[in-house]
Amino acid sequence: MGGHRGVAIGDSLSLRTYNTLWSTLRRPADSLIVDMQAERLTTARYLASQRTDDRDIMVLQRQRTDRTRDKLRTLALSADSRSATTPAMRTQVDEMLAGLGRIDEIRAEIDEGLSERLRAIETYNLVSDSIYRMHYSLALIDDIPIYQQSRVVISLGYAKELLTREQALEAAAGASGLTDEERKLFTQLVGNRRFLIDQALPELDAGLRQLHVNLITTPLYQRLRLQEEQIIEAPRLSARTQRVWQSTSDDLAESFQKAQTEAAALLAERAAPIADSILRRAVLVGGFGLLAVVASILISLRVGGRLARELADLREAALDLANKRLPGVLVKLKRGDDVDLATEAPPLQTEGGTAEIQDVGRAFSTVQETAVEAAIGQARLQRGSARSSSTWRGAARRCCTGSGPSCTACSATRPTRTCWRSCSGSTTSRPACAATPRA
């Protein structure tokens, strides 16, 4: 189970979250990018020609963009979207939503004739960049391959965005040709797009890679590369060359978008079954884990119950020692009865095989044996002292009454004061031995 801990319920929920992010943010944002790319191009053509028909096309495209933008705002602010995004993701989403307001600002400047063509194009570029930053923030997880593939597909989508920026620059230049600043920007766009494609393709799996390899190996793409070199080198293009460029770049941009749509749909299709499979595996692992926990609880209860019984037996044996055995031994010793240590202080008998309980039982047995030995020794000492005192007291009485040894012998054995005290129990007069000086 430890080998699967990195891909379990959390990953399954992440994959389900991926689907939520796809439906509430990724897909509507992709649709807005497509419409914004079209609006940027129609705006560039209008700025170059200033014709009414080009303006009508631009206004019609603005209406499509507005519908797509409103849909994205609604979904991005929904409860599902908010619950699926992390704080870092939400920051990028809010930044993207705030950037959408720039579209209205640049439109107003264009309508009033206050915006130069390069400023208009770069303003649309800034809005697109905020959307792509949000895209990248939605693919921050590294441990599931589908997220890695998702980031690569986003990079290829940005390569298509760079191509449409090239289109807008050339369309805005028109017959006048690119300025030096515009030509420099065009050259950077071409180099960045080619670099992104070269870096991204090796990181894609076979199925996703083939979608894009089929695109960049076509004669159409090779023709685009040649036309890009021609635009970079020539001061201006002829009307025919411009039409060929616009036709080639339009077709290729459409092919890029088709590959992007297919790749994104393929990733979304992969996410659901992977999530279900991981979730089923996680449920099985969790089920086995639950069984293991239940089994451990039952074993603990059984072992705990046995320990409780053994401790209860040990407690009863200790109470029997303190309340019955030792007091009984003391009573016998006071009566002068002989006490056998092995009989009166047998080892405590504890039932059960727990080593700790047996150790405690042996310790109690040792205490019991020591206590009984001490009581027996004390009783023997007291009996010996009593016999010795009785013998000396009788000898003293016999000495003092004349029925025993002489006073000299008495006083020689014990001091005169002691002799007097011994005799004082049998005579009221001072005995003769009391006058005998001590040797």
Side-chain angles (χ1 to χ4, degrees), residues 274-296:
I274 292 175
D276 293 339
S277 174
I278 293 175
L279 186 58
R280 285 194 297 269
R281 185 167 70 244
V283 170
L284 289 176
V285 172
F288 285 123
L290 179 60
L291 291 177
V293 170
V294 172
S296 64

Side-chain angles (χ1 to χ4, degrees), residues 24-249:
T24 61
L25 291 172
R26 288 286 304 278
R27 185 166 57 191
D30 282 341
S31 298
L32 179 59
I33 286 176
V34 172
D35 281 333
M36 283 186 55
Q37 290 169 350
E39 181 175 333
R40 179 175 53 203
L41 182 58
T42 58
T43 300
R45 287 172 178 169
Y46 167 70
L47 291 175
S49 68
Q50 295 294 317
R51 295 198 307 262
T52 303
D53 56 343
D54 285 336
R55 177 178 176 80
D56 293 340
I57 295 174
M58 178 186 69
V59 172
L60 183 61
Q61 180 55 49
R62 286 179 178 180
Q63 294 172 358
R64 298 192 189 98
T65 303
D66 287 341
R67 288 193 294 268
T68 308
R69 180 175 57 172
D70 292 342
K71 183 178 180 180
L72 173 59
R73 277 177 172 161
T74 301
L75 292 173
L77 296 174
S78 65
D80 289 342
S81 174
R82 290 190 174 277
S83 63
T85 51
T86 64
M89 294 177 184
R90 202 68 222 170
T91 299
Q92 294 298 326
V93 172
D94 293 340
E95 179 183 323
M96 179 270 298
L97 292 175
L100 297 181
R102 294 178 180 174
I103 298 176
D104 297 320
E105 297 174 3
I106 194 60
R107 285 174 179 175
E109 292 181 10
I110 292 170
D111 293 343
E112 296 295 331
L114 302 176
S115 177
E116 297 179 352
R117 63 193 190 191
L118 185 57
R119 169 176 165 72
I121 291 173
E122 289 185 334
T123 301
Y124 281 106
N125 295 349
L126 291 174
V127 177
S128 296
D129 286 340
S130 68
I131 296 177
Y132 275 100
R133 283 194 296 271
M134 181 200 70
H135 275 324
Y136 282 111
S137 74
L138 302 182
L140 294 176
I141 300 177
D142 295 328
D143 57 348
I144 300 179
I146 193 171
Y147 287 95
Q148 300 170 356
Q149 297 296 296
S150 178
R151 286 199 302 272
V152 178
V153 170
I154 292 172
S155 296
L156 289 171
Y158 194 67
K160 186 250 182 178
E161 163 69 15
L162 297 181
L163 174 59
T164 61
R165 294 181 184 185
E166 296 176 36
Q167 285 184 289
L169 277 176
E170 178 56 34
S176 63
L178 297 172
T179 65
D180 291 341
E181 186 177 1
E182 291 170 345
R183 191 180 307 279
K184 180 179 179 181
L185 178 58
F186 185 92
T187 304
Q188 292 174 347
L189 292 172
V190 172
N192 290 340
R193 192 201 76 246
R194 295 177 181 179
F195 176 79
L196 278 178
I197 294 175
D198 292 341
Q199 291 294 313
L201 286 180
E203 298 183 21
L204 289 175
D205 61 36
L208 294 173
R209 185 187 309 117
Q210 196 60 42
L211 290 173
H212 296 83
V213 169
N214 292 340
L215 175 61
I216 64 174
T217 56
T218 60
L220 181 65
Y221 186 77
Q222 301 307 316
R223 185 161 61 249
L224 175 77
R225 290 174 63 96
L226 292 175
Q227 291 173 352
E228 288 174 336
E229 299 295 338
Q230 186 179 3
I231 293 172
I232 292 172
E233 296 175 0
R236 64 176 53 87
L237 300 178
S238 65
R240 181 181 178 279
T241 303
Q242 287 180 341
R243 288 194 299 270
V244 173
W245 157 256
Q246 289 295 340
S247 175
T248 301
S249 59

Side-chain angles (χ1 to χ4, degrees), residues 312-332:
D313 293 340
L314 183 61
R315 175 176 175 273
E316 293 297 328
L319 290 175
D320 181 70
L321 168 65
N323 298 330
K324 296 181 179 180
R325 293 186 184 181
L326 289 180
V329 169
L330 294 177
V331 170
K332 291 181 179 180

